[in-house]
Amino acid sequence: NYHFTTKGNTKITLDDNLLRINGALTELPFGIYTAPQIFTVNRNTYITVTETQEKKVYVIKKDGTILNGFPVFGSSKALLTGTKKSVLLSVIGQDNEVVLIQF
């Protein structure tokens, strides 16, 4: 599996479990991942990927570090939005379930 995505000056590749953000390597656990998505919320850039077999959602900072408390349970691609004080992650959990996490 190979994915490539860009947004502004942020370039991301995901080759199996090797995530590169502007060339900096972050090694994720082995698995099958969705294509990386880039979100800018409150002037911060976040990258999300979902491991589809274990149903784990990762939120990664632009510097390649996985946010504290992640991964979390989720079975779909994640969506990030924000308010002035926090970031909201929404993802499908199990059947007919939406998971909303504030951080």
Side-chain angles (χ1 to χ4, degrees):
N1 285 335
Y2 181 82
H3 301 283
F4 176 78
T5 188
T6 64
K7 182 178 181 182
N9 292 329
T10 306
K11 296 176 183 131
I12 299 175
T13 61
L14 179 62
D15 188 6
D16 290 327
N17 67 313
L18 302 177
L19 180 72
R20 287 184 177 82
I21 303 168
N22 293 332
L25 177 65
T26 300
E27 191 169 345
L28 300 169
F30 286 104
I32 299 173
Y33 291 90
T34 60
Q37 298 181 103
I38 304 170
F39 298 93
T40 302
V41 180
N42 299 334
R43 298 184 185 205
N44 294 309
T45 301
Y46 300 100
I47 295 90
T48 64
V49 293
T50 301
E51 201 286 314
T52 57
Q53 292 176 314
E54 297 290 324
K55 298 182 180 177
K56 293 182 179 179
V57 178
Y58 292 83
V59 177
I60 303 147
K61 295 180 186 177
K62 190 175 179 177
D63 67 3
T65 58
I66 298 171
L67 288 180
N68 263 353
F70 286 90
V72 296
F73 178 77
S75 61
S76 69
K77 289 184 177 183
L79 175 64
L80 292 183
T81 58
T83 65
K84 290 184 179 182
K85 296 182 180 181
S86 64
V87 179
L88 302 172
L89 175 138
S90 59
V91 65
I92 295 174
Q94 296 181 14
D95 295 335
N96 299 322
E97 176 183 67
V98 175
V99 177
L100 181 63
I101 298 171
Q102 179 179 2
F103 59 96

